[in-house]
Structures are given as C-alpha cells and as structure tokens.
Amino acid sequence: MFPLCARLEQVQDGGSVFFQQQLDLRGEPNQHVSLHVQIMFRIVMTRIQDKWKSYRHRFVPWIALNLRKNERTIRQVTERSKDRLASDEVVLETLLHLFRALLRNDVAHQEEVLRLLPASTQTRYLSPETTEGPDIGEPKGEHGPIETMFLTVGFCIERKPSSLPFAGTGVFVTRGFVPKGATVAMYPGTIYQAYEPILFQSIWNPFVFRCIDHVLIDGNDKGISKIVYRSCSGRDRLGPFRLSDITWLTANTENPLAVGQYVNNCSNERAANVCYQEYDVPEAFPLELRQYLPNVNYRHDTQRPLRCVVLVALRDIRPGEELFSNYFTIVH
C-alpha cells in the first residue's frame, strides 16, 4: 500500500481513471469519502499556496520574518535623500528625450494633435532638420517604439519569460548598454492616494506598488484594474489630447519603458541591478507628450502632481541581462 502522500501524488499525475481504480480496490465507503476529502483539501491548499506566493510581499509580518533570511533582497539606505540615484531633472530629461522621439516617429498619426500646437512646437516635430541628438535625424515613421528607444537612449528593454524558475514574465535588456543611474523603465498603473478605495482591485493582485508616502500604484493589466485604468484615462482626455497611455494594457505598448511591473524581485543568488524611484510629473510637462505617461489618477480632482515610479540602474547593465529590483527598501 502506498503512503498517503504518494497515493495523492499518483492520483494527481495519473488522472481520474487511476483514482477510480484505487477506490475499487477498497471496500469501505467511509474510506472512499475520507480519501476524496483529503484530495480536495490538498487541491485547495495548493491553490491557496500558489496565491500566497504571489501576494505575500504585501504583508508586513512576512517581510519582517524574512529580512534576516534574505538580506540581499532588501535595499537599505541611510536617509530618504539617498534613496534617489538620479535627480528629478535627469529623469525628466530622459522622458522628454524619448517621448519627443516617439512622437516624431509617429507623426503621421499625430496630425490632429499637432495642428493645435503653437507653430514653434509643430516645427520641433515636423521639420526633418530638427534633432534632439546625433541619432534622431532618421526619416519620420520608420522606426517602432523599441527601435526608437534604442536610437534615442542607447538601449532597449523587452518582456520575456524570466530566467528564474516559476517567476513568469521578466524584463530583459535586449540591445545596447545601460549606464549606472539611467532611467531603465517606468511602473505603469492607476494612482491611488492613501484615502482612496482600492480593496476590490487589490484582491489577488501582486502588482500594487506602495510608495513611501502611502500612495499606491496598481500596475495590473487585467481584470478590474484594467477596467478602472481605461475608464480614468478616457475621462481625462482633452479633445484630441490623451493625457495618459493606455497601450501598456496591450502587447504593443507605445511607450517601451512601461513594463516596470514585470521586473522580478532579486534573490540571494540574483542581486538587484535596478531600484525604484518616485517621481512627480511637473505641471509644465508638455501637453502633447502626456500621451506617453503610463499613469493616471483615480480621482479627477486630485490636487497633487501625477505620481510616477521609474526604475533606475544600480550599476552598468549589459545586453542579455534580466532586470531585478528590490521589492523592499528600508530607510534607516
């Protein structure tokens, strides 16, 4: 006779026919019921365990118990000011540089937007002589978003199956070289202030990012989270001007940076090479470029600047490397 654990594994691997054969060999109905209950209990517990693995990082008790065991997964800084690797000015410069290149390469679909802009701004995008750098003098509309990113900032990132077992999707540097301090990705999603409701959206949702000031970013691209983001993005539209990017909810995002929610947590074996950094979008951010911001406020009348979270390189990153971050930062 098999031990119970071996029997249950055999049932799961062999299918229902094998399970029925085992029942036929036993004569006691109560034993049949008992075995069936045990099997159902094990299936339920397995599902709960799978959910817990993806959700546990949001529970403070779990974090506290695992700090010492997984010290390399914790990023520790001595004070808040040292949490930033790149200044807001550097982050802004990178976003403007890339977003302008994206718009220029999509100018054929931007006619309605461009005709409402001042003549000087139109010239920036329509004149073939206008360049933002040595590699942006390419014919308009020739490159896709990922290629445009490579030509603009010198590297590009893409989603692929993670190199970690059972980690699902990951983010890799596929071309180019990422220097330390560079803005590598953005964390997309709906922005919730500390007092705003997010209960139903957060259930079984491992993509809720918590900022230091308790602002939450829901980066889930499925289910209720996806519906809420689309609704808020459509609500905020100003005529032809889109104030946020909704394409990150699809497989073909117009902003190639907007994949930060798929960056996996580091481990004791795989050290972090990027870190999260909070960034508030200034009011003077160009109206025509807001269509590439992958974030939207849950409430239309939020008085605070739009919160974004960018991922910044902790060291030089070479092509082929997967991005790993610290899901937890401790400020002493």
Side-chain angles (χ1 to χ4, degrees), residues 47-102:
R47 291 179 179 176
I48 292 176
Q49 186 179 33
D50 291 340
K51 291 293 184 180
W52 166 249
K53 286 179 180 179
S54 66
Y55 202 68
R56 60 190 176 186
H57 305 289
R58 297 183 57 206
F59 288 87
V60 173
W62 183 89
I63 297 173
L65 290 173
N66 283 269
L67 287 181
R68 293 185 178 180
K69 185 173 64 175
N70 301 290
E71 290 185 0
R72 290 191 64 184
T73 66
I74 309 299
R75 180 168 177 252
Q76 304 194 39
V77 295
T78 56
E79 54 187 85
R80 281 196 179 188
S81 61
K82 295 185 178 180
D83 184 40
R84 294 176 175 270
L85 287 185
S87 67
D88 286 350
E89 291 74 20
V90 170
V91 173
L92 176 61
E93 182 182 357
T94 300
L95 297 185
L96 292 178
H97 194 43
L98 176 59
F99 292 178
R100 284 169 178 157
L102 291 172

Side-chain angles (χ1 to χ4, degrees), residues 153-264:
V153 298
F155 63 88
C156 56
I157 57 174
E158 296 182 61
R159 287 177 290 182
K160 291 184 176 183
S162 176
S163 59
L164 294 176
F166 310 111
T169 302
V171 180
F172 291 78
V173 176
T174 53
R175 296 174 63 188
F177 171 81
V178 182
K180 178 180 178 179
T183 301
V184 185
M186 302 182 72
Y187 199 100
T190 306
I191 311 300
Y192 293 86
Q193 304 302 318
Y195 53 84
E196 293 174 342
I198 192 177
L199 174 62
F200 291 108
Q201 298 92 311
S202 68
I203 297 175
W204 302 129
N205 183 358
F207 295 105
V208 178
F209 181 94
R210 181 178 179 179
C211 299
I212 294 177
D213 58 358
H214 307 298
V215 170
L216 301 177
I217 304 179
D218 182 5
N220 196 352
D221 56 8
K222 298 178 178 62
I224 299 178
S225 301
K226 180 177 182 179
I227 296 172
V228 170
Y229 186 92
R230 282 187 176 275
S231 176
C232 294
S233 181
R235 172 203 64 197
D236 292 348
R237 184 168 181 142
L238 290 175
F241 292 98
R242 290 185 289 122
L243 302 186
S244 57
D245 175 31
I246 63 171
T247 62
W248 68 272
L249 298 170
T250 70
N252 301 309
T253 178
E254 293 179 1
N255 175 6
L257 291 175
V259 294
Q261 78 276 36
Y262 285 106
V263 173
N264 283 308

